[in-house]
Amino acid sequence: MSKDIASRVTSGVQALALPGQREGWQAQHRGSLLTDAQAYDALADAVQSDLKARRLDGDLPWGISAAARARKRVKPLRDAARAMRKAARAINGVVAAYEETQPDVVLRRREDKQLKKAQLKAAAGAAAHNSAQVTLQRLAPGESEGDPAGAPRLLGDFFGSGQQRRGA
């Protein structure tokens, strides 16, 4: 029996490693898990309806006790169905992990990351250079001979003549 499990595991890993067989492996295993989940749900529905119909002495009227007892008894089946659906989602995660760790995908992702980092670094350098240029222009010697060298220019200097405007 262990040889059977070992060979199934080995063939599963080999199928995951090959891009052409990966989708088939995923569809097969995911489909079987979802089919099992549906079977457990159907079985739980049948058992629950059967147990609801069985009334015992001492039950509350209107079948409240029978319905509660039925829900309690089919809870393990519902949990099994939920676990099968969770396992089907895990199959997708395993396949995604194999796709994400392909050497060419990892290399491309790293190159894209380095390119984006270089672009951001260049943009930050350009912004710093432009900021420094603006500061140097603001602190440059005055435009007329009477202005002292290095005199800072005021915001009002950028609005034309030195007349005060309304609201200013």
Side-chain angles (χ1 to χ4, degrees), residues 48-70:
Q48 186 172 0
S49 66
D50 185 44
L51 289 177
K52 267 184 171 178
R54 294 182 184 192
R55 304 290 165 94
L56 299 176
D57 291 335
D59 279 354
L60 294 174
W62 305 292
I64 295 173
S65 298
R69 187 172 46 254

Side-chain angles (χ1 to χ4, degrees), residues 108-122:
R108 189 181 70 241
R109 190 178 305 119
R110 286 180 181 166
E111 288 173 350
D112 291 345
K113 186 177 178 180
Q114 288 174 350
L115 178 64
K116 186 176 180 180
K117 184 177 179 179
Q119 289 173 343
L120 288 173
K121 196 172 185 179

